[in-house]
C-alpha cells in the first residue's frame, strides 16, 4: 500500500513536469510567432516603401523622356522657317494658305490687304503704292494665266523659305515678317509685281 502511494506520487510528479515542459515549449513557440508578427509589418512597410520609390523613379523617368521628346518636337517645330521668322510653322503656313486661297479666288481686295507697299516698279510700269492702285492694276492688267493655273494646283507642303522669306509656287509669291514683334506677314512679291527697291528680284 505504501509503495503504491509512492508510485502514485512519483507518477503525478512526472506528469506535472511534463505538463510544465510542454507549456514552456508552447510559450516559447507563441513568443516566436509574436516576434515574427511584430517583425512582419516592418518588413512589409519596407517593401511598400521600395515599391513607392520604384514607382516614383519610373514616373520621373517617363516625365523626363516626355520633356525631352517635347523639346525635340519643339525644336523641329521652330526650325522649319526660323531662317526668316520667329513665328511658328502653323502661323507661317496659315498665312501662306490665306494668300493662296485669296489669289486663286481673284479676291484682290483681300490680297491687297496682305501686300507690303510699294510693290512693283516704275520701270516695269506696274508700281502700286497702295491697295487701291494694286486692285486697279489686278483688275485691268491681271496676272499671267499660266502662273495662276500652277498656283491652283500648288500644295502648302511645298512651301519653303530662305533669309528673304517664304516662297510659294517656285517664286510666284514671296512673303515675310515686316514686323517681327507682332509676327505680321506681308506679301513682298506677287507674280510680276516685285518688291520695290527690295532684295527679291527672281
Amino acid at each position: 500500500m505504501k509503495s503504491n502511494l509512492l508510485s502514485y506520487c512519483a507518477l503525478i510528479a512526472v506528469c506535472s513536469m511534463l505538463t510544465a515542459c510542454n507549456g514552456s515549449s508552447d510559450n516559447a513557440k507563441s513568443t516566436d510567432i509574436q516576434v515574427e508578427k511584430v517583425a512582419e509589418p516592418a518588413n512589409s512597410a519596407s517593401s511598400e516603401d521600395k515599391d513607392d520609390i520604384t514607382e516614383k523613379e519610373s514616373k520621373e523617368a517617363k516625365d523626363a523622356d516626355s520633356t525631352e521628346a517635347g523639346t525635340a518636337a519643339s525644336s523641329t517645330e521652330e526650325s522649319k522657317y526660323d531662317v526668316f521668322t520667329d513665328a511658328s510653322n502653323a502661323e507661317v503656313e496659315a498665312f501662306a494658305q490665306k494668300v493662296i486661297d485669296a489669289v486663286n479666288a481673284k479676291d484682290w481686295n483681300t490680297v491687297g490687304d496682305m501686300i507690303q507697299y510699294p510693290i512693283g516698279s516704275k520701270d516695269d510700269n506696274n508700281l502700286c503704292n497702295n491697295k487701291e492702285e494694286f486692285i486697279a492694276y489686278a483688275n485691268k492688267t491681271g496676272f499671267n494665266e499660266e502662273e495662276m493655273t500652277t498656283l491652283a494646283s500648288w500644295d502648302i507642303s511645298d512651301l519653303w523659305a530662305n533669309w528673304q522669306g517664304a516662297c510659294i509656287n517656285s517664286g510666284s509669291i514671296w512673303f515675310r515678317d515686316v514686323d517681327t514683334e507682332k509676327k505680321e506677314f506681308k506679301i513682298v512679291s506677287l507674280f510680276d509685281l516685285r518688291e520695290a527697291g527690295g532684295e527679291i528680284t527672281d
Side-chain angles (χ1 to χ4, degrees):
M1 173 86 176
K2 191 173 181 180
S3 68
N4 283 342
L5 186 60
L6 286 173
S7 294
Y8 181 70
C9 286
L11 184 60
I12 290 173
V14 169
C15 286
S16 295
M17 286 174 60
L18 287 172
T19 302
C21 285
N22 282 341
S24 175
S25 175
D26 289 343
N27 285 342
K29 286 180 183 174
S30 175
T31 303
D32 289 345
I33 290 168
Q34 287 175 358
V35 168
E36 286 175 12
K37 283 183 179 177
V38 169
E40 187 178 339
N43 290 338
S44 176
S46 175
S47 175
E48 287 174 8
D49 288 344
K50 287 178 183 174
D51 288 345
D52 288 345
I53 290 168
T54 304
E55 284 179 23
K56 186 176 178 182
E57 287 173 349
S58 175
K59 185 178 184 301
E60 287 173 355
K62 284 179 184 175
D63 289 347
D65 289 345
S66 176
T67 302
E68 286 175 14
T71 302
S74 175
S75 176
T76 302
E77 163 71 20
E78 292 167 4
S79 67
K80 194 168 180 185
Y81 303 111
D82 67 356
V83 68
F84 83 97
T85 182
D86 290 331
S88 69
N89 289 352
E91 289 170 314
V92 173
E93 290 170 3
F95 184 82
Q97 190 62 59
K98 184 179 176 184
V99 170
I100 293 163
D101 293 343
V103 173
N104 283 333
K106 296 186 179 181
D107 180 358
W108 304 129
N109 185 59
T110 298
V111 175
D113 287 333
M114 294 188 282
I115 291 176
Q116 176 70 18
Y117 296 100
I119 194 168
S121 71
K122 285 183 179 179
D123 292 342
D124 293 332
N125 200 30
N126 63 3
L127 179 64
C128 301
N129 291 296
N130 52 49
K131 178 180 171 180
E132 290 72 25
E133 290 180 9
F134 165 75
I135 292 172
Y137 176 83
N139 286 327
K140 182 180 177 183
T141 307
F143 300 102
N144 184 294
E145 285 302 320
E146 187 179 335
E147 286 188 281
M148 291 287 291
T149 301
T150 59
L151 181 64
S153 60
W154 187 81
D155 190 87
I156 196 73
S157 63
D158 293 325
L159 184 69
W160 61 273
N162 64 22
W163 62 273
Q164 299 176 102
C167 176
I168 296 173
N169 196 32
S170 302
S172 293
I173 303 170
W174 284 83
F175 68 89
R176 68 164 168 262
D177 259 340
V178 293
D179 188 327
T180 53
E181 288 185 9
K182 293 180 182 177
K183 295 177 184 173
E184 182 184 3
F185 299 116
K186 290 285 187 180
I187 296 168
V188 293
S189 179
L190 178 70
F191 300 119
D192 59 327
L193 298 176
R194 304 294 177 188
E195 181 177 18
E199 301 287 342
I200 299 171
T201 56
D202 296 329

